[in-house]
Amino acid sequence: MAIDLSQSPASLWSVTAPPGPQTSPLDGSRGVDVAVIGGGYAGLSTALHVAQAGKSVAVLEAVDIGHGGAGTNNGQVIPALTRANPADLRQRFGEQRGNRLARLIAESAAFTFDLIRKHGIACDAEQTGWVQPAHSPGRAVLSRRRYEQWAELGADVAYLDGEQVGALTGAAIYHGGLLARTGGHVNPLGLVRGLAGAALRAGAEIFTRSPVLSVAPQGDGWRLKTPGGAVVAGKVVVATDAYADELFPALRRSIVPVRSYQMATQALPPELLSRILPLNHALSDSHRDLYFFHATRDRRIVTGGALALNVQWQSRLDRRIGERLRSVFPILGGDVRFDYRWYGDVAITTNFLPHFHRVAPGIVTVIGYNGRGLALAAAAGRVLAQAALGHDPDDLDLPLTPLATIPLQGLARRFSRIELLRYRWLDRREVRV
Ligand SMILES: Cc1cc2nc3c(=O)[nH]c(=O)nc-3n(C[C@H](O)[C@H](O)[C@H](O)COP(=O)(O)OP(=O)(O)OC[C@H]3O[C@@H](n4cnc5c(N)ncnc54)[C@H](O)[C@@H]3O)c2cc1C
């Protein structure tokens, strides 16, 4: 079992999120209709929906609720993929399946905020909108096309020109952009802990510090072994995303886990913050080496980035992201200080799409949200629940695809650092053209 316990330093979220429900390790054996591996958004949303349908369900989490991406991410609720637009999805999956997937994505932010409201989840939820500004004139043209495709599908989006983006973000460097009004931001750890509470109230069982060590056939179902016991289940949902370990080696090798660093500034004076993202939007722009920012309720800016080298990551991150922050919001002046720095792993797929797989008969997974899994993993949980409840997996909102491993995947993580340098070069070149 290769769960990374090297532990990121404490995140801002670990200090500000309300505590999660009390949970303990699995001790002994039990039988359930559905077993879920992984206590992130996808696993807990699956458990919630299975329990609401009146079936018994147990979640087995290797470490704690939100140990993975769900507890460490930036908190942006985004109803879009990193690259693909509805036309790309239709081209890949056909008209009907492509549109179904695109609608699932477009509706994922509203779905997530609805879950938060319905279950009274305390996670500083702000459905103020998500904006994707374009960092070059060429990207602004692509933004407009992006807008047209999502609008055609019925998504609540707008295209903004450079001036409008400037007014909305307080940043003068952008040339246009896409606004998704159903998006926004949350305290991500608060959300995942709240989902755990909602799943428990609906009747699910949750066991933490319970890594699944093996999954073996038993009768018509599967036996999942943990250090303290075993769960026997008719159906299994694997919801481990970038944190997939050797439990299903092919699954682990179907993605590249890429480290993403996060940080939070000191609390800023209200008059200063009123000129940075003044309407409290979440922002992730069009740079390949992504720029992303949003403000928190305690008046910090949460941002971060990728690094080509991990050595001395904290000081290098302070310098690089501090400069970036000042270049986008010069009003910050020279004295930006970072109070928190942490990291997590993002699951990248070769086509930048999330993948829905049947791992074995009765075992399904969604993996590879490519850094856009906050809202989408919550929405995917409902789809995974449908699969576990006996709906035909070939007729769900996520199209099933064959599980394929990435050749030389072990090298790919190292290669991703070189890829980052290429991304930066391309980003700079694009602005100069
Ligand atoms: C630093 C960072 C920033 C991000 N920012 C954003 C953002 O702003 N917006 C956005 O939309 N997305 C963002 N993402 C992506 C998003 O966080 C993920 O896509 C999302 O968390 C995936 O949810 P999940 O439930 O599938 O997996 P996770 O939340 O990663 O949970 C997987 C869980 O599986 C557990 N697990 C693994 N193996 C086992 C085992 N053998 N037995 C039991 N449990 C196991 C792990 O411990 C982990 O808790 C970011 C990700 C990171 C890392």
Side-chain angles (χ1 to χ4, degrees), residues 1-3 36-44 59-80 184 188 192 207 210-214 225-226 238-248 258-262 284 292 294 305 342-347 366-378 380 384:
M1 141 108 244
I3 286 283
V36 176
I37 307 174
Y41 305 127
L44 293 163
V59 178
L60 298 164
E61 162 54 45
V63 190
D64 289 317
I65 299 303
H67 168 77
T72 53
N73 72 60
N74 190 259
Q76 302 207 12
V77 186
I78 304 173
V192 72
F207 301 99
S210 302
V212 177
L213 304 173
S214 64
K225 201 169 158 316
T226 71
V238 185
T240 51
D241 198 38
Y243 293 75
D245 56 16
E246 289 302 327
L247 194 58
F248 298 101
V258 173
R259 187 138 292 182
S260 169
Y261 295 91
Q262 304 290 307
S284 333
F292 51 90
H294 72 86
W342 68 96
Y343 55 76
D345 288 347
V346 175
V366 177
I367 189 166
Y369 298 96
N370 292 275
R372 291 286 162 85
L374 194 159
L376 193 52
L384 288 163

Side-chain angles (χ1 to χ4, degrees), residues 92-396:
R92 188 171 178 88
F93 299 112
E95 182 78 12
Q96 199 241 351
R97 301 311 308 268
N99 276 340
R100 265 178 90 173
L101 175 56
R103 278 199 198 94
L104 177 81
I105 295 159
E107 289 162 11
S108 61
F111 173 83
T112 304
F113 282 112
D114 284 348
L115 266 185
I116 292 169
R117 282 187 282 266
K118 194 163 157 200
H119 296 280
I121 295 174
C123 62
D124 293 344
E126 301 281 1
Q127 197 172 14
T128 41
W130 170 74
V131 61
Q132 185 183 42
H135 73 281
S136 68
R139 287 289 176 149
V141 174
L142 292 179
S143 266
R144 182 179 274 285
R145 282 194 210 136
R146 200 156 211 228
Y147 152 73
E148 286 164 359
Q149 290 192 30
W150 288 104
E152 193 194 1
L153 206 80
D156 190 0
V157 288
Y159 175 76
L160 308 173
D161 63 23
E163 213 171 296
Q164 289 169 317
V165 171
L168 202 77
T169 61
I173 66 164
Y174 293 117
H175 299 260
L178 175 76
L179 169 68
R181 295 191 187 89
T182 57
H185 54 91
V186 296
N187 179 324
L189 182 60
L191 171 58
V192 72
R193 287 179 174 170
L195 271 178
L200 285 171
R201 285 193 297 280
E205 294 182 287
I206 300 176
F207 301 99
T208 44
R209 305 270 155 188
S210 302
V212 177
L213 304 173
S214 64
V215 179
Q218 178 162 323
D220 289 343
W222 298 93
R223 183 168 192 272
L224 290 70
K225 201 169 158 316
T226 71
V231 169
V232 175
K235 302 278 176 166
V236 179
V237 169
V238 185
T240 51
D241 198 38
Y243 293 75
D245 56 16
E246 289 302 327
L247 194 58
F248 298 101
L251 200 58
R252 181 175 167 80
R253 282 187 253 300
S254 73
I255 52 123
V256 180
V258 173
R259 187 138 292 182
S260 169
Y261 295 91
Q262 304 290 307
M263 53 211 305
T265 65
Q266 80 268 38
L268 300 172
E271 51 298 350
L272 183 58
L273 203 54
S274 69
R275 300 176 67 184
I276 297 170
L277 295 164
L279 298 177
N280 202 8
H281 287 81
L283 179 166
S284 333
D285 76 7
S286 60
H287 282 94
R288 292 174 181 81
D289 177 17
L290 193 65
Y291 290 21
F292 51 90
F293 317 98
H294 72 86
T296 60
R297 227 167 248 188
D298 60 351
R299 293 188 282 104
R300 301 170 191 277
I301 297 176
V302 196
T303 179
L307 289 175
L309 283 175
N310 292 341
V311 283
Q312 297 179 330
W313 64 272
Q314 293 172 318
S315 54
R316 292 181 44 249
L317 202 61
D318 280 19
R319 218 170 27 250
R320 173 171 279 280
I321 304 300
E323 271 168 27
R324 174 182 293 180
L325 203 49
R326 284 188 293 275
S327 73
V328 179
F329 303 111
I331 195 171
L332 280 169
D335 53 355
V336 189
R337 209 183 62 233
F338 294 100
D339 284 351
Y340 297 90
R341 302 160 199 84
W342 68 96
Y343 55 76
D345 288 347
V346 175
I348 305 294
T349 54
T350 48
N351 58 10
F352 298 98
L353 297 176
H355 294 164
F356 179 35
H357 300 304
R358 188 190 283 120
V359 180
I363 306 184
V364 288
T365 191
V366 177
I367 189 166
Y369 298 96
N370 292 275
R372 291 286 162 85
L374 194 159
L376 193 52
R382 188 179 52 179
V383 177
L384 288 163
Q386 288 166 341
L389 290 167
H391 294 240
D392 178 3
D394 281 310
D395 187 26
L396 295 172

